[in-house]
């Protein structure tokens, strides 16, 4: 492949990613691949050469976002309050899920399907959140009988519900704060409720 061809291929990929970001933000994760190719100014064949499936394109869109969320979880492990660290991360995850309509469903599908191209990226994010959950559980501030998969399902379900109500970010954050009361470790019998 000549230098000119490689540079053209890189430029086309960048154009497709930019167009996909706009189209998916406007129309959701099920947006037409033909529409993305049109917005990028490339043929559908060029789009498929770079991204043979919709999932491959979504993976390229989400990879940086999920990596940032994973790194954020790592940095929150150093904060003094384990439950506040978990809540902060979950809020950021809910806000990120609201970026693209249909994203909460795509993430849940990818977590359940080990053959999915998105699975590894989503699983790494889940693992990072799991460390925050385990820390909050060890501190006794979060119930010990919930898993990170259940918590992520809860957050994505809330993000999906907020998306359907047309208030994705604000409503998802409010619903998540309310749901955190259900995740809180119940007060010991005989001790005052907080």
């Amino acid at each position: 492949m000549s230098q000119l061809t490689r540079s053209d291929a890189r430029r086309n990929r960048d154009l497709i990613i930019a167009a996909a970001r706009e189209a998916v933000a406007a129309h959701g994760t099920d947006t037409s691949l033909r529409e993305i190719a049109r917005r990028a100014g490339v043929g559908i064949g060029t789009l498929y050469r770079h991204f043979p499936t919709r999932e491959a394109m979504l993976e390229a869109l989400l990879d940086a976002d999920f990596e940032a969320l994973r790194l954020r979880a790592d940095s929150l492990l150093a904060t003094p309050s384990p439950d506040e660290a978990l809540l902060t991360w979950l809020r950021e995850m809910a806000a990120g899920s609201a970026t693209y309509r249909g994203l909460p469903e795509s993430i849940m599908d990818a977590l359940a399907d080990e053959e999915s191209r998105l699975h590894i990226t989503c699983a790494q994010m889940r693992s990072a959140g799991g460390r925050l959950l385990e820390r909050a559980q060890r501190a006794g501030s979060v119930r010990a009988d919930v898993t990170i998969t259940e918590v992520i399902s809860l957050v994505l379900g809330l993000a999906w519900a907020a998306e359907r109500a047309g208030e994705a970010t604000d409503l998802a954050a409010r619903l998540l704060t309310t749901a955190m009361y259900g995740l809180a470790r119940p007060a010991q019998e005989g001790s005052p409720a907080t």
Side-chain angles (χ1 to χ4, degrees), residues 54-166:
R54 179 180 306 278
E55 271 195 339
M57 186 188 58
L58 283 175
E59 181 182 28
L61 283 177
L62 300 175
D63 194 44
D65 297 338
F66 285 178
E67 178 64 10
L69 199 53
R70 187 189 65 72
L71 292 171
R72 180 70 168 135
D74 290 344
S75 73
L76 286 167
L77 285 170
T79 61
S81 172
D83 54 327
E84 225 12 77
L86 177 63
L87 181 57
T88 297
W89 188 81
L90 293 173
R91 281 185 184 136
E92 291 175 16
M93 180 187 182
S97 321
T99 306
Y100 303 120
R101 196 178 44 172
L103 185 56
E105 186 177 353
S106 295
I107 294 170
M108 287 307 299
D109 289 346
L111 282 169
D113 180 7
E114 291 183 11
E115 300 300 315
S116 162
R117 286 186 66 129
L118 282 172
H119 179 78
I120 291 173
T121 303
C122 292
Q124 289 171 340
M125 178 198 56
R126 176 179 56 198
S127 178
R131 290 189 293 278
L132 289 171
L133 175 63
E134 288 167 10
R135 180 175 174 241
Q137 288 170 324
R138 280 193 309 273
S141 55
V142 174
R143 296 166 51 141
D145 64 341
V146 295
T147 67
I148 191 60
T149 299
E150 292 167 342
V151 173
I152 287 175
S153 296
L154 174 66
V155 171
L156 293 174
L158 295 173
W160 178 87
E163 177 185 292
R164 294 295 182 257

Side-chain angles (χ1 to χ4, degrees), residues 44-61:
I44 192 71
T46 300
L47 183 143
Y48 279 119
R49 270 192 300 283
H50 289 282
F51 304 106
T53 64
R54 179 180 306 278
E55 271 195 339
M57 186 188 58
L58 283 175
E59 181 182 28
L61 283 177

